[in-house]
């Protein structure tokens, strides 16, 4: 005899051997190509970012997920001539967050200095581009 019981937030279902011998009557719904929750790649048909894409490697969740989303969104939607040059602050915030969680976001020793220098160079380039644009 099968039965179900609730224990707190959990629902426990006991099934008999006979329950498993009976073919399922569940009907599968055909995949909807416009379903934004399906894995359709990084960019959805409407142009939005698919935060559930496995290609992001889970970066959109976790302790720095919001900083990652902010930086990645800024870059994706950037219309600057040097794409993403207006996103240095968001990427810096993401990097600072990741440095607080070295176990979750390990950094390669050799590339630490290089990535910091790259970030500083990008920041300098973005500032120079903004100053040049402002003076025009």
């Amino acid at each position: 005899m099968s039965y179900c019981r609730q224990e707190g937030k959990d629902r426990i279902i006991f099934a008999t051997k006979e329950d498993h011998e009976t073919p399922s009557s569940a009907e599968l719904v055909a995949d909807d190509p416009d379903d934004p929750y399906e894995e359709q790649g990084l960019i959805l048909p409407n142009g939005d970012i698919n935060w559930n894409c496995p290609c992001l490697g889970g970066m959109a969740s976790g302790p720095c997920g919001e900083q990652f989303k902010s930086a990645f969104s800024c870059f994706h939607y950037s219309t600057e001539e040097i794409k993403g040059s207006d996103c240095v602050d968001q990427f810096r915030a993401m990097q600072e967050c990741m440095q607080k969680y070295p176990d979750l976001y390990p950094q390669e020793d050799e590339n630490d200095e290089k990535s910091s220098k790259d970030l500083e160079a990008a920041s300098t380039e973005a500032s120079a581009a903004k100053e040049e644009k402002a003076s025009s």
Side-chain angles (χ1 to χ4, degrees):
M1 166 192 243
S2 59
Y3 70 96
C4 178
R5 76 173 192 236
Q6 194 80 24
E7 285 190 11
K9 65 176 179 60
D10 300 318
R11 185 173 176 195
I12 303 169
I13 301 171
F14 292 92
T16 63
K17 183 178 177 183
E18 292 78 26
D19 291 331
H20 289 286
E21 290 173 346
T22 307
S24 173
S25 60
E27 292 182 27
L28 298 177
V29 178
D31 289 338
D32 179 2
D34 296 323
D35 184 356
Y37 299 104
E38 285 295 316
E39 294 175 15
Q40 296 187 17
L42 181 59
I43 307 301
L44 297 171
N46 66 0
D48 289 343
I49 299 169
N50 180 5
W51 297 115
N52 295 322
C53 181
C55 61
L56 293 176
M59 291 294 293
S61 59
C64 299
E66 289 306 311
Q67 290 85 345
F68 173 79
K69 286 180 180 181
S70 174
F72 194 85
S73 294
C74 181
F75 182 83
H76 176 67
Y77 295 112
S78 176
T79 57
E80 293 295 314
E81 189 164 323
I82 300 174
K83 187 164 179 83
S85 62
D86 52 334
C87 305
V88 173
D89 292 338
Q90 289 90 334
F91 277 99
R92 180 173 283 124
M94 180 183 77
Q95 184 181 32
E96 289 171 0
C97 179
M98 289 176 167
Q99 288 172 344
K100 294 177 187 174
Y101 302 94
D103 293 342
L104 295 174
Y105 307 102
Q107 296 181 10
E108 296 177 18
D109 293 335
E110 294 174 14
N111 292 333
D112 276 352
E113 275 187 45
K114 184 178 180 230
S115 63
S116 292
K117 288 178 183 174
D118 289 348
L119 184 60
E120 287 174 24
S123 178
T124 303
E125 285 176 26
S127 296
K130 284 181 183 176
E131 287 175 18
E132 185 178 312
K133 191 176 183 180
S135 65
S136 311

